[in-house]
């Protein structure tokens, strides 16, 4: 039986780092995958660090065609009907590190970058941390619709018998917040944008169709498992969207709904949060990674 990478479901971590890599010219897909796979346990678990590794879907498919689901990279900008754009910034590999404190994340990330230096360069680096336990920087609870840990693998992990079994599809996006504009809104207006009450996270019965909740309705598009985190500094910050799904269509359908591609109605939250990056990665099972690393 194939098992998913354990860091996907390791809740309660206080510090995170996201490293996206581009393969160096002249290298091969196999060299990069083997190098990333070799970062797995036990070296990267020292100090209580979880490591989740993923790859551009086309790169993984070129190397392991029989263990590759039907997934495409975020290779083109997503354009809304009013000129709204979600940028495509696809890279070749991703490492998501999470742990109890930033010092161990910092040291492990530096060691990983050094180990991969001959094969890939860092294209994007972001650090993040929890805010008020389970809220994002809008002040609202994030992930109210998340399945619990017992049910999450059913929605996030590709089932046995399918290509890529034990793996998952990751959508990674960096969203910048316009904090000044957002915080100038009365709480009642903020709730009309999100579609939930701010304090208790109760879904509004009369929510408008442009609310964030309505545009990303998981009863409509399918359940995903989210591990979002705030990122940034006091003056430049936002949300790292970290969404896992057994099917890419659930993720792409939500993005298209947010951009207004389905019915011309754009997610109201996009007036206050702007996507800076966008990439899909296939996150293989632990067994697939070990086969690639030769261990």
């Amino acid at each position: 039986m194939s098992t998913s990478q354990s860091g996907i479901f390791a809740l309660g971590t206080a510090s995170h780092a996201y490293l996206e890599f581009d393969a160096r010219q002249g290298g091969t897909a196999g060299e990069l995958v083997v190098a990333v796979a070799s970062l797995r346990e036990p070296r990267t678990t020292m100090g209580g660090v979880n490591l989740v590794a993923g790859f551009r879907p086309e790169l993984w498919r070129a190397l392991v065609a029989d263990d590759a689901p039907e997934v495409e990279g975020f290779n083109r900008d997503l354009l809304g009907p009013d000129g709204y754009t979600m940028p495509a910034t696809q890279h070749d590999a991703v490492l998501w590190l999470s742990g109890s404190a930033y010092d161990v994340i910092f040291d492990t990330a530096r060691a990983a970058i050094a180990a991969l230096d001959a094969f890939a360069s860092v294209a994007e680096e972001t650090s993040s941390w929890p805010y008020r336990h389970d809220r994002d920087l809008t002040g609202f609870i994030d992930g109210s619709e998340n399945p619990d840990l017992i049910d999450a693998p059913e929605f996030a992990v590709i089932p046995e018998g399918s290509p890529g079994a034990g793996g998952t599809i990751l959508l990674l996006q960096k969203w910048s917040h316009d904090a000044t504009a957002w915080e100038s809104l009365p709480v009642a207006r903020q709730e009309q944008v999100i579609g939930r009450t701010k304090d208790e996270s109760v879904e509004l019965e009369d929510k408008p169709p442009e609310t964030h909740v309505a545009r990303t309705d998981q009863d409509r598009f399918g359940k995903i498992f989210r591990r979002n985190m705030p990122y940034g500094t006091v003056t430049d910050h936002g949300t790292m969207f970290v969404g896992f799904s057994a099917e890419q269509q659930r993720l792409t359908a939500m993005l298209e709904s947010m951009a207004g591609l389905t019915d011309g109605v754009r997610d109201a939250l996009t007036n206050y949060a702007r996507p800076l990056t966008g990439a899909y990665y296939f996150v293989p099972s632990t067994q697939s990674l070990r086969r690639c690393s030769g261990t």
Side-chain angles (χ1 to χ4, degrees), residues 43-220:
R43 180 171 55 183
T44 56
T45 58
M46 293 180 182
V49 175
N50 302 293
L51 174 63
V52 174
F55 304 94
R56 178 167 54 86
E58 295 85 354
L59 185 149
W60 179 261
R61 188 176 299 113
L63 182 66
V64 194
D66 60 345
D67 190 34
E70 290 298 319
V71 183
E72 293 185 0
F74 205 136
N75 300 320
R76 295 170 296 279
D77 292 349
L78 183 61
L79 303 176
D82 56 355
Y84 176 75
T85 301
M86 289 186 181
T89 60
Q90 184 68 52
H91 300 292
D92 291 322
V94 64
L95 297 178
W96 167 35
L97 299 94
S98 63
S100 59
Y102 188 65
D103 56 351
V104 293
I105 296 296
F106 179 85
D107 287 342
T108 306
R110 290 192 67 209
I113 291 170
L116 299 180
D117 184 63
F119 311 101
S121 58
V122 177
E124 184 77 28
E125 175 191 354
T126 307
S127 300
S128 66
W129 27 267
Y131 178 71
R132 296 189 181 181
H133 182 59
D134 56 3
R135 296 180 185 267
D136 65 26
L137 296 180
T138 66
F140 283 74
I141 294 174
D142 197 358
S144 297
E145 293 295 314
N146 238 10
D148 60 34
L149 285 179
I150 294 176
D151 297 327
E154 175 186 349
F155 303 107
V157 179
I158 297 171
E160 289 296 321
S162 301
T168 183
I169 299 146
L170 165 64
L171 170 60
L172 185 66
Q173 286 182 300
K174 185 176 184 177
W175 288 78
S176 174
H177 290 197
D178 186 343
T180 301
W182 177 256
E183 291 167 0
S184 70
L185 299 178
V187 170
R189 176 56 188 151
Q190 292 181 359
E191 292 176 341
Q192 288 293 306
V193 170
I194 299 296
R196 290 183 177 277
T197 60
K198 192 167 188 176
D199 290 338
E200 301 86 8
S201 196
V202 176
E203 188 170 332
L204 303 181
E205 293 185 4
D206 58 345
K207 58 185 178 294
E210 69 272 17
T211 62
H212 183 59
V213 169
R215 303 314 298 175
T216 60
D217 183 2
Q218 294 193 34
D219 290 333
R220 176 184 174 192

Side-chain angles (χ1 to χ4, degrees), residues 3 11 13 15 28-29 39 49 55 61 64 93 125 143 146-147 176 181 224 233 250 258 267 271 284:
T3 53
L11 300 181
T13 46
S15 187
T28 68
L39 297 173
V49 175
F55 304 94
R61 188 176 299 113
V64 194
E125 175 191 354
N146 238 10
S176 174
I224 63 172
T233 66
R250 302 174 197 167
M258 291 180 69
D267 189 327
N271 293 312

